[in-house]
């Protein structure tokens, strides 16, 4: 997973005009750890069932009339009994233990050797209550650590759980869906075990207009876990099976269904251009853009993430997102009250700005610069950093006229102020943006006016101070700007500084940083 401390990784994953077209179109994926590490928090990998609901069957009602309290030894004895009633009572007691909100004894139940018998109970079609309790218990065990999930898988639970997807008992069927979702959510190995066991067609067959909403939510969440994880990605066959269902689910009105459907698409677009194309070619973009206007954060976040992933693709895929109306929405999201949304929106814009100049022109046409400059001035620092990247991409690929519009937007003032930021990479980017703009102004014979503006903003003082920065790259970049654009007559202090800096140090030639 890339981090903000890896500039080479950051530059590699964005396309820049400094490279040829094929390289520029490779990947412009998300780069900040903060932007990506939230996935596990925003969409739950596994869920434990702590609710008290049971299938409303005569046998269940009869069993519920008897209060049963068993020790672990009695549970083990009951589970291994040949009497279905004792098996049920023991399994139900174990399930209740596993459904405790705090400190459920998952490890204890595994070590007691109960899983193989519970897997057998899944096959007891004459006793749906027993099937239900066994599926519920296995669901909660699979909600634990990877080791605990493995115990369920190696106990042979996947195939019997898939067979329960055809059960006539709705509660049994739903609990099986939940258990499979937990298994798939553990990681790519068990996800693929579920896929190769042919779970997807059975899951898709369950989707109907009359399905209870809680059941549909569970199916959608399980499908999203089947789309989740990389190294490897889910196979193409699985993706092709799931995509039409996700497109259908995106038309639903329930926010949880919409959220998990969007998360599924975000996982499928977090990859190569080919994978992005699989999603884009379904025609889903217009609906995703509509969902980006949602007032519900659990829908807005994954829909924005998905569109952000899509614009890391080819210029053609990015244009499809623009045509779908994403630039109508992103300027509003830059002004969202949640910094996390501001940051995601700025990240998406930075990828559009990394494209050809006609994409940059569309950013100008949709008046993106004013809210972007406002973020540079007043946003949280993590948002400002993403906005700086957007400006850097813009400056790198812009035409001369577009650069002039960038300067007229008032971007220099916040950039100059951010030169004191405690982030080496961001300071380097800003210095290189300033250098790019100065070079462009020189070609237009406007450098003198620009230099006066930078001086009025306090920029010269800040750049001069950076010559003594502890980071040598910053010191050298600042020195180069002063000498080339402001230091026609080098004074004694500049001469001394030049002598102090180790001239043998190998500095990175950024070429406006973002070009690399």
């Amino acid at each position: 997973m890339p981090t903000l401390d890896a500039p080479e990784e950051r530059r590699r994953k964005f396309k820049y005009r400094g490279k040829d077209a094929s390289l520029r179109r490779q990947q412009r994926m998300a780069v900040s750890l903060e932007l990506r590490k939230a996935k596990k928090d925003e969409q739950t990998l596994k869920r434990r069932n702590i609710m008290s609901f049971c299938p409303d069957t005569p046998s269940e009602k009869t069993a519920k009339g008897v209060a049963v309290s068993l020790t672990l030894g009695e549970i083990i004895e009951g589970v291994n009994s040949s009497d279905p009633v004792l098996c049920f009572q023991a399994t139900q007691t174990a399930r209740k233990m596993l459904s405790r909100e705090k400190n459920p004894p998952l490890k204890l139940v595994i070590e007691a050797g109960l899983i193989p018998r519970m897997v057998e109970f899944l096959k007891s079609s004459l006793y749906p209550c027993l099937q239900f309790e066994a599926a519920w218990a296995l669901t909660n065990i699979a909600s634990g650590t990877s080791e605990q999930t493995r115990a369920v898988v190696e106990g042979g639970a996947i195939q019997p759980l898939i067979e329960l997807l055809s059960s006539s008992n709705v509660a049994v069927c739903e609990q099986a869906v939940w258990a499979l979702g937990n298994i798939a959510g553990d990681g790519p190995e068990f996800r693929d075990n579920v896929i190769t066991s042919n779970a997807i067609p059975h899951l898709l067959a369950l989707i109907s207009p009359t399905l209870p909403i809680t059941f549909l939510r569970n199916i959608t969440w399980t499908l999203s876990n089947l789309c989740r994880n990389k190294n490897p990605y889910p196979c193409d066959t699985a993706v092709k099976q799931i995509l039409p269902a996700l497109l259908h689910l995106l038309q639903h009105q329930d926010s949880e269904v919409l959220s998990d459907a969007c998360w599924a698409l975000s996982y499928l677009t977090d990859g190569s251009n080919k994978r992005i194309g699989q999603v884009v070619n379904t025609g889903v973009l217009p609906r995703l853009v509509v969902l980006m206007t949602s007032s519900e954060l659990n829908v807005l976040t994954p829909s924005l993430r998905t569109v952000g992933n899509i614009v890391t693709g080819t210029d053609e895929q990015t244009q499809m997102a623009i045509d779908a109306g994403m630039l109508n929405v992103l300027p509003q999201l830059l002004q969202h009250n949640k910094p996390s949304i501001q940051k995601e929106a700025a990240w998406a814009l930075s990828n559009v700005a990394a494209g050809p100049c006609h994409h940059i022109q569309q950013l100008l046409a949709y008046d993106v610069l004013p809210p972007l400059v406002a973020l540079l001035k007043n946003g949280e620092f993590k948002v400002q950093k993403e906005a700086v990247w957007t400006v850097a991409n813009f400056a790198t690929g812009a035409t001369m006229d577009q650069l002039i519009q960038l300067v007229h937007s008032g971007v220099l003032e916040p950039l100059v102020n951010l030169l004191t930021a405690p982030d080496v990479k961001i300071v380097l980017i800003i210095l290189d943006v300033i250098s790019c703009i100065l070079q462009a102004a020189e070609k237009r014979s406007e450098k003198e006016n620009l230099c006066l503006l930078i001086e009025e903003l306090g920029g010269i003082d800040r750049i001069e101070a950076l010559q003594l920065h502890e980071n040598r790259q910053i010191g050298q970049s600042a020195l180069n700007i002063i000498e080339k654009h402001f230091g026609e007559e080098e004074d004694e202090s500049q001469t001394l500084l030049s002598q102090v800096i180790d001239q043998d140090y190998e500095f990175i030639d950024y070429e406006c940083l973002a070009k690399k």
Side-chain angles (χ1 to χ4, degrees):
M1 185 180 294
T3 71
L4 282 174
D5 297 320
E8 295 80 14
E9 184 74 1
R10 174 80 194 221
R11 291 194 299 276
R12 182 178 66 78
K13 289 194 172 184
F14 276 73
K15 72 177 186 184
Y16 292 112
R17 290 180 60 82
K19 295 182 177 289
D20 62 53
S22 62
L23 287 176
R24 285 193 292 109
R25 288 173 181 162
Q26 283 179 353
Q27 287 185 326
R28 300 176 289 159
M29 294 182 183
V31 290
S32 63
L33 182 59
E34 290 88 348
L35 203 59
R36 284 290 173 251
K37 73 179 182 182
K39 278 187 174 179
K40 288 187 180 180
D41 298 327
E42 290 167 332
Q43 202 221 13
T44 311
L45 282 160
K46 300 180 183 180
R47 301 198 277 221
R48 192 160 56 89
N49 188 354
I50 60 175
M51 295 170 60
S52 297
F53 72 91
C54 296
D56 188 16
T57 63
S59 60
E60 176 67 7
K61 288 179 178 178
T62 303
K64 283 167 66 179
V66 182
V68 180
S69 178
L70 304 175
T71 65
L72 181 60
E74 290 169 331
I75 289 173
I76 295 171
E77 184 179 346
V79 163
N80 288 292
S81 169
S82 59
D83 183 346
V85 174
L86 293 178
C87 288
F88 171 80
Q89 290 174 348
T91 304
Q92 186 182 62
T93 304
R95 182 269 298 168
K96 288 178 178 178
M97 293 168 59
L98 294 167
S99 301
R100 291 177 193 161
E101 197 156 358
K102 294 184 179 179
N103 304 316
L106 306 185
K107 185 178 179 184
L108 193 66
V109 169
I110 293 170
E111 291 174 348
L114 299 182
I115 288 178
R117 280 294 284 168
M118 289 180 174
V119 170
E120 285 301 310
F121 296 156
L122 296 177
K123 306 170 188 176
S124 303
S125 57
L126 295 177
Y127 305 101
C129 296
L130 180 56
Q131 289 179 310
F132 175 77
E133 292 291 350
W136 189 344
L138 291 170
T139 297
N140 287 358
I141 295 171
S143 74
T145 65
S146 288
E147 183 182 355
Q148 290 162 344
T149 307
R150 184 173 294 278
V152 174
V153 173
E154 292 181 350
I158 290 178
Q159 197 58 53
L161 286 169
I162 291 173
E163 289 171 10
L164 287 183
L165 299 180
S166 302
S167 171
S168 59
N169 187 298
V170 174
V172 170
C173 187
E174 181 175 357
Q175 197 60 57
V177 170
W178 195 331
L180 289 168
N182 276 347
I183 292 169
D186 185 78
E189 179 188 354
F190 297 154
R191 175 204 67 199
D192 289 345
N193 286 350
V194 173
I195 289 172
T196 55
S197 298
N198 204 35
I200 294 173
H202 292 86
L203 287 166
L204 299 181
L206 293 170
I207 299 173
S208 77
T210 59
L211 201 66
I213 189 59
T214 56
F215 198 166
L216 186 62
R217 289 169 181 167
N218 264 329
I219 292 171
T220 310
W221 172 73
T222 297
L223 289 174
S224 77
N225 273 354
L226 290 171
C227 296
R228 194 173 196 143
N229 289 304
K230 302 188 272 191
N231 302 318
Y233 284 95
C235 64
D236 277 353
T237 301
V239 173
K240 287 174 182 175
Q241 287 176 316
I242 292 174
L243 271 175
L246 294 178
L247 204 61
H248 169 73
L249 291 166
L250 277 188
Q251 306 307 315
H252 208 278
Q253 298 304 309
D254 181 74
S255 66
E256 288 186 39
V257 170
L258 289 172
S259 178
D260 284 326
C262 285
W263 278 119
L265 292 171
S266 79
Y267 306 142
L268 295 178
T269 52
D270 187 13
S272 67
N273 295 343
K274 178 185 174 183
R275 292 190 172 274
I276 292 171
Q278 284 181 303
V279 174
V280 168
N281 292 338
T282 65
V284 73
L285 268 167
R287 178 60 176 161
L288 285 171
V289 170
V290 170
L291 294 176
M292 284 168 57
T293 65
S294 173
S295 60
E296 300 191 62
L297 205 61
N298 68 330
V299 176
L300 166 56
T301 300
S303 58
L304 173 56
R305 177 75 56 83
T306 303
V307 173
N309 286 343
I310 288 169
V311 295
T312 68
T314 65
D315 289 343
E316 292 75 15
Q317 289 164 344
T318 300
Q319 186 61 53
M320 290 173 75
I322 294 172
D323 292 342
M326 69 172 288
L327 293 183
N328 281 319
V329 182
L330 284 179
Q332 301 165 33
L333 296 182
L334 290 176
Q335 303 168 68
H336 197 275
N337 59 357
K338 292 282 186 182
S340 61
I341 297 298
Q342 296 172 357
K343 183 175 181 182
E344 292 256 6
W347 167 68
L349 281 172
S350 73
N351 283 318
V352 177
C357 58
H358 67 267
H359 285 173
I360 292 173
Q361 191 58 42
Q362 289 175 87
L363 293 179
L364 292 170
Y366 282 93
D367 211 21
V368 163
L369 289 181
L372 190 68
V373 171
L375 278 187
L376 284 169
K377 288 181 178 178
N378 305 312
E380 289 188 6
F381 184 55
K382 65 179 182 179
V383 181
Q384 289 176 316
K385 289 196 290 186
E386 209 60 58
V388 167
W389 275 106
T390 305
V391 172
N393 289 352
F394 188 111
T396 304
T399 64
M400 195 70 70
D401 287 341
Q402 290 167 345
L403 267 181
I404 291 170
Q405 291 184 69
L406 179 65
V407 172
H408 286 169
S409 73
V411 75
L412 280 173
E413 181 180 358
L415 287 182
V416 165
N417 291 336
L418 284 168
L419 285 173
T420 58
D423 187 304
V424 167
K425 189 156 57 277
I426 291 301
V427 173
L428 279 169
I429 294 169
I430 294 171
L431 286 173
D432 224 64
V433 168
I434 291 172
S435 179
C436 281
I437 293 173
L438 282 165
Q439 289 174 38
E442 192 168 30
K443 292 176 183 177
R444 298 274 297 222
S445 302
E446 293 285 347
K447 192 173 99 167
E448 185 177 349
N449 290 334
L450 185 63
C451 287
L452 287 172
L453 174 59
I454 292 172
E455 184 175 18
E456 288 173 9
L457 296 172
I460 295 178
D461 291 341
R462 283 187 167 89
I463 296 169
E464 284 181 338
L466 288 174
Q467 293 176 102
L468 299 174
H469 197 279
E470 61 184 10
N471 181 277
R472 289 185 170 188
Q473 294 176 355
I474 288 178
Q476 185 65 41
S477 294
L479 176 63
N480 290 342
I481 290 173
I482 294 297
E483 286 187 339
K484 185 172 182 180
H485 301 290
F486 298 98
E488 294 177 0
E489 296 182 6
E490 191 178 63
D491 61 25
E492 187 177 344
S493 64
Q494 289 173 316
T495 304
L496 288 172
L497 179 61
S498 299
Q499 293 170 352
V500 169
I501 292 179
D502 180 7
Q503 296 300 322
D504 292 329
Y505 184 82
E506 185 177 343
F507 293 100
I508 295 175
D509 179 14
Y510 278 89
E511 284 294 319
C512 293
L513 191 72
K515 291 184 182 178
K516 294 291 184 183

